Amino acid sequence: NNVRLGYCAVEAVQSLLKICSEVVVIDSDSTDGTLEEFQRMADQDSRIKVVNFPWTDPKGVGAGFLVDWLNFGRSHLTTKFQITLDADEILENE
């Protein structure tokens, strides 16, 4: 729920588009318009792929959920190299 939490997720994707040939956005059952915002972006830019990884409320399960979540996203890439940003990070490339 990036919109509700006030994360800079849209800006994060925009910062990646400056240097990446594709960006995979992993949503996890957002309910606040986050998914729709990213889908609008993907509709306007074919380099953006939006995928859903079901949210299981992984409190107390350790890093396993995060590893599975990241690997799921990576499985949708066609590029040889990748960079990962969280929803509250922006790639500064100036």
Side-chain angles (χ1 to χ4, degrees):
N1 286 323
N2 293 304
V3 172
R4 183 176 57 81
L5 295 170
Y7 289 151
C8 56
V10 169
E11 292 84 358
V13 171
Q14 291 168 335
S15 74
L16 288 169
L17 288 171
K18 292 177 183 177
I19 64 164
C20 296
S21 60
E22 66 181 341
V23 174
V24 174
V25 176
I26 310 168
D27 185 73
S28 290
D29 299 330
S30 296
T31 59
D32 66 346
T34 295
L35 175 61
E36 292 79 8
E37 178 66 27
F38 284 122
Q39 193 56 59
R40 278 191 292 278
M41 291 177 72
D43 291 344
Q44 294 176 1
D45 192 323
S46 62
R47 295 175 295 165
I48 302 172
K49 297 176 188 177
V50 180
V51 297
N52 187 69
F53 188 80
W55 183 253
T56 60
D57 198 19
K59 294 177 183 160
V61 298
F65 178 85
L66 179 60
V67 170
D68 291 344
W69 184 77
L70 290 171
N71 284 335
F72 175 77
R74 288 180 184 120
S75 74
H76 289 83
L77 287 170
T78 61
T79 56
K80 184 175 179 179
F81 299 101
Q82 62 99 41
I83 183 172
T84 301
L85 290 182
D86 284 335
D88 60 348
E89 298 176 316
I90 296 174
L91 180 65
E92 188 67 42
N93 62 351
E94 301 203 35

